[in-house]
């Protein structure tokens, strides 16, 4: 059954029932195109079938065409965008503002936040917002980079060596101007992270009972710092 409820008599007509019995709105007849006399439902199926049949081939040829005429296509699109700028913007803002869209987005996000990736993403967004609020620097980092950072410390707290409840610690606290980027991250256990709070990393660490000069050296090495410039703000 098609979604067309009102018959466009210029393009369609109700004709003989097709051999697959595509009954249009319980009329006992098939909706056919005036030009090709083909059943609309049959045509839809045919189109879908041929789309999947030639999908890979078509994609490849489209990609090849794009590679050959890259600049041309880009310029064409840019020109079209410049000419219809207002239309694009109006349409986009309209689309984004509909209540249905907002609601579906809200539902999607609340589901996503329950997943492990979603939890990490929420945490990163929190970090980023906090950095923006204080006008601190922020640079993007990937989950892969975080994973290799954790590996450098054998998936243990960089300060005390504990392996449970690991979180990312901003080496130079965000409230002290510490940027939100990879060069300012150290894996730490929840206990160390909360205990350290916004204190100077070196003063705090050296006053702890679990202080180890070996671990302190490793932290400086991973962050690319020395004892004299450990407070310098990284950019990446
Ligand atoms: Zn049919
Ligand atoms: Zn710790």
């Amino acid at each position: 059954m098609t979604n067309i409820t009102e018959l466009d008599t210029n393009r369609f007509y109700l004709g003989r029932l097709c051999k697959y019995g595509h009954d249009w709105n319980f009329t006992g007849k098939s909706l056919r195109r005036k030009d090709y006399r083909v059943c609309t439902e049959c045509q839809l199926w045919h189109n879908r079938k041929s789309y999947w049949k030639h999908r890979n081939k078509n994609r490849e040829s489209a990609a090849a065409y794009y590679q050959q005429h890259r600049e041309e296509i880009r310029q064409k699109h840019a020109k079209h965008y410049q000419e219809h700028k207002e239309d694009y913007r109006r349409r986009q803002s309209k689309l984004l503002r509909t209540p249905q869209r907002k609601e579906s987005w809200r539902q999607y996000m609340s589901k996503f936040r329950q997943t492990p990736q979603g939890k990490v993403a929420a945490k990163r967004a929190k970090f980023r917002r906090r950095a923006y609020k204080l006008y601190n620097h922020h640079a993007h980092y990937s989950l892969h980079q975080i994973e290799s950072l954790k590996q450098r410390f054998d998936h243990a707290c960089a300060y005390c060596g504990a392996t449970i409840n690991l979180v990312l610690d901003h080496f130079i606290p965000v409230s002290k101007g510490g940027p939100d980027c990879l060069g300012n991250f150290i894996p730490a256990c929840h206990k160390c992270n909360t205990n350290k709070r916004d204190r100077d990393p070196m003063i705090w660490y050296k006053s702890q009972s679990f202080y180890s000069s070996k671990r302190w050296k490793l932290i400086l090495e991973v962050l690319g710092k020395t004892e004299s410039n450990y407070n310098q703000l990284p950019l990446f």
Side-chain angles (χ1 to χ4, degrees):
M1 197 113 315
T2 51
N3 289 326
I4 309 159
T5 45
E6 266 178 54
L7 230 155
D8 182 357
T9 47
N10 288 325
R11 294 176 60 204
F12 306 105
Y13 71 100
L14 284 172
R16 187 173 50 82
L17 195 70
C18 74
K19 66 173 174 178
Y20 295 103
H22 292 134
D23 185 354
W24 193 74
N25 280 3
F26 307 106
T27 50
K29 287 175 176 177
S30 285
L31 187 69
R32 289 168 180 274
R33 274 176 68 151
K34 269 193 171 169
D35 43 6
Y36 296 114
R37 297 182 168 261
V38 64
C39 162
T40 50
E41 200 84 345
C42 284
Q43 196 190 25
L44 207 70
W45 276 104
H46 173 77
N47 288 351
R48 266 185 209 148
K49 239 162 79 185
S50 73
Y51 167 76
W52 284 103
K53 196 177 168 189
H54 303 292
R55 185 163 169 257
N56 289 338
K57 204 179 72 191
N58 286 346
R59 278 185 171 186
E60 273 165 24
S61 63
Y65 182 83
Y66 179 73
Q67 285 300 329
Q68 269 179 21
H69 304 264
R70 207 169 176 172
E71 274 313 301
E72 216 176 294
I73 292 167
R74 275 185 185 174
Q75 276 171 13
K76 215 169 128 189
H77 283 179
K79 200 181 152 212
H80 189 266
Y81 178 74
Q82 285 301 330
E83 281 168 3
H84 304 266
K85 218 174 186 171
E86 286 307 305
D87 291 348
Y88 273 114
R89 280 184 187 166
R90 210 179 300 128
R91 200 189 301 157
Q92 194 137 22
S93 63
K94 240 185 201 170
L95 279 173
L96 291 172
R97 257 187 247 136
T98 60
Q100 293 98 310
R101 235 185 125 118
K102 272 186 181 169
E103 187 50 41
S104 71
W105 177 248
R106 210 173 289 136
Q107 278 174 11
Y108 169 77
M109 280 312 281
S110 69
K111 252 186 211 164
F112 175 63
R113 280 196 205 98
Q114 305 298 319
T115 63
Q117 295 103 309
K119 277 175 188 164
V120 175
K123 193 127 219 172
R124 289 207 296 178
K126 202 174 147 194
F127 281 167
R128 193 173 61 236
R129 273 197 299 274
R130 200 162 53 147
Y132 279 157
K133 236 180 207 171
L134 295 165
Y135 301 104
N136 286 10
H137 175 69
H138 161 81
H140 181 78
Y141 46 92
S142 69
L143 291 181
H144 186 79
Q145 286 171 317
I146 294 293
E147 197 50 41
S148 53
L149 176 72
K150 281 182 182 167
Q151 254 172 33
R152 290 290 301 268
F153 293 96
D154 288 328
H155 292 271
C157 172
Y159 302 114
C160 72
T163 50
I164 46 158
N165 292 336
L166 281 189
V167 293
L168 278 181
D169 179 54
H170 287 92
F171 183 70
I172 300 165
V174 174
S175 59
K176 293 281 160 65
D180 184 46
C181 65
L182 199 70
N184 198 31
F185 280 135
I186 282 295
C189 68
H190 185 66
K191 212 169 154 190
C192 288
N193 183 247
T194 44
N195 188 262
K196 178 174 160 264
R197 236 178 266 171
D198 58 353
R199 279 182 269 185
D200 181 282
M202 185 166 80
I203 295 167
W204 169 80
Y205 190 40
K206 290 198 170 171
S207 69
Q208 298 303 309
S209 58
F210 48 77
Y211 170 75
S212 132
S213 59
K214 204 177 138 198
R215 281 202 211 105
W216 176 244
K217 265 184 195 147
L218 181 64
I219 292 170
L220 293 179
E221 190 197 313
V222 171
L223 295 180
K225 292 174 185 238
T226 59
E227 192 87 21
S228 53
N229 78 348
Y230 77 93
N231 243 342
Q232 203 174 40
L233 303 178
L235 286 173
F236 298 104

